[in-house]
Amino acid sequence: EMSPQNDPNGNSTVALVRSSREYASDISDSEVRDMVREAVELTGGLSDIIEDGQSVVIKPNLVTPRAPTRVLGALTMGRVDPYGHHAFLSTEIPQKANGVTTDWRVTKAMVELVREVNPSGKVYVMECSCEGEVRKTFEVMGYTHENIPGVDKFVGMDETGDDYRAVDSEDFVGVELQDHQQYKELPDFLKNKYYFDKTYYSADVVITLCCLKNHVQAAVTGGIKNVGIGATPGKIYGAGRDNLMRMAINHGWEPLNDFIHDYYMAKPVQFVLTDGLQGLAYGPAGQGAPSYEGAKMNMRLILASKDPVAIDTVHS
């Protein structure tokens, strides 16, 4: 098995490991760890993309800690307290194998693998959720130092920057794509640039840990989309000072996919690991489904690849 950059035939490896358990919720912590390790090993491991002493960013998908109900939940997503109890608006989701967010056990297993080849470097887990406060979402969904040792810092990119839409903050890096740019609707305040958290952008290696779901506006939430819009800092792209919905970006079908293309091109990733333990229809959070339970797909999968386009093809 060879990575695409080393394969003389230009082939890419996508690893797919499936549990023999009947239900995703039955998969134990130790089995999740074994599945992740097997999938990463099938891709050739991490030693050819990570060196000791480097800075590594791991980007999970923690879009929301709840699953909206069918109609009201879809309409109110991003407009209500995501941590409250809204009997008619949302359903609480478990930390493990929920299909909406990346299971913290998958992230833990990846951190362990990174630390084995990079014991002295920095490891950051970075996210900018769709709603709420990322700092709190980390805690609610099990993203703590107790559960995931080996992480130097959990970074909520909703806190990056000085003020709302203050693009000149030293905490941001602005990137121009020039001839590679496809998105044509950047607001004037963005100065025709794509903005990144400086720690994220300066990382030697970025690993995207997506959750296998489809998406009402972008087809599939895979390795590329998880960073192509999921890594956008909230203070730049949010709909308001306290609203993380990325409404600075046109969410129509073609414009959104053009933006995802551009943002990913400005900072590509080196590895994709996928939590496909549950899998979810009516993504990204089950809105529009008859019920949250009805959106679950019971996939029982872990996928991995060094080629984001190849693995997103398999995701699709």
Side-chain angles (χ1 to χ4, degrees), residues 142-157:
Y143 280 71
T144 65
H145 289 288
E146 181 179 4
N147 281 344
I148 313 176
V151 176
D152 287 285
K153 190 175 183 180
F154 294 93
V155 179
M157 290 185 284

Side-chain angles (χ1 to χ4, degrees), residues 8 15 20 59 70 81 92 103 114 116-117 120 126 152 156 164 177 192 207 211 223 225 241 243 289-290 298 316:
S20 60
K59 164 62 174 75
R70 184 172 185 180
D81 175 12
E92 294 180 359
D103 191 317
V114 170
E116 289 175 8
V117 296
S120 67
M126 305 184 70
D152 287 285
Y164 182 57
L177 281 185
N192 208 41
I207 298 173
C211 187
K225 183 193 173 297
R241 294 181 183 275
N243 190 338
N298 195 37
S316 298

Side-chain angles (χ1 to χ4, degrees), residues 110-267:
M110 176 53 82
V111 170
E112 290 177 353
L113 289 170
V114 170
R115 278 302 184 198
E116 289 175 8
V117 296
N118 185 23
S120 67
K122 296 292 186 181
V123 178
Y124 302 102
V125 173
M126 305 184 70
E127 170 64 314
C128 193
S129 303
C130 180
E131 58 183 7
E133 300 173 19
V134 183
R135 183 190 300 268
K136 187 169 184 178
T137 298
F138 275 142
E139 181 180 349
V140 169
M141 300 315 300
Y143 280 71
T144 65
H145 289 288
E146 181 179 4
N147 281 344
I148 313 176
V151 176
D152 287 285
K153 190 175 183 180
F154 294 93
V155 179
M157 290 185 284
D158 56 331
E159 298 181 13
T160 301
D162 299 325
D163 198 3
Y164 182 57
R165 295 190 173 180
V167 297
D168 294 327
S169 167
E170 294 184 357
D171 296 329
F172 295 124
V173 175
V175 180
E176 291 189 55
L177 281 185
Q178 299 177 341
D179 294 342
H180 297 290
Q181 183 172 340
Q182 292 186 6
Y183 187 76
K184 306 301 183 184
E185 302 180 35
L186 289 176
D188 290 342
F189 79 90
L190 292 177
K191 304 177 181 180
N192 208 41
K193 294 181 180 180
Y194 297 85
Y195 291 87
F196 294 83
D197 177 292
K198 183 181 289 186
T199 299
Y200 179 97
Y201 187 79
S202 62
D204 298 299
V205 176
V206 176
I207 298 173
T208 172
L209 263 61
C210 54
C211 187
L212 184 59
K213 305 176 285 185
N214 62 15
H215 192 280
V216 66
Q217 293 153 318
V220 62
T221 294
I224 291 175
K225 183 193 173 297
N226 186 43
V227 295
I229 196 166
T232 48
K235 287 185 179 179
I236 298 296
Y237 296 95
R241 294 181 183 275
D242 300 313
N243 190 338
L244 295 181
M245 298 286 282
R246 281 83 169 192
M247 299 317 294
I249 305 305
N250 185 335
H251 275 53
W253 178 265
E254 291 187 10
L256 179 60
N257 284 283
D258 285 342
F259 180 87
I260 291 170
H261 164 276
D262 289 1
Y263 202 78
Y264 175 83
M265 287 291 292
K267 179 64 177 179

Side-chain angles (χ1 to χ4, degrees), residues 16-45:
L16 188 153
V17 177
R18 190 174 199 183
S19 170
S20 60
R21 305 285 184 182
E22 185 175 3
Y23 296 105
S25 56
D26 294 335
I27 302 174
S28 67
D29 296 1
S30 61
E31 187 176 357
V32 170
R33 182 176 185 269
D34 291 344
M35 292 172 70
V36 170
R37 285 182 167 268
E38 182 179 355
V40 173
E41 182 180 351
L42 286 170
T43 69

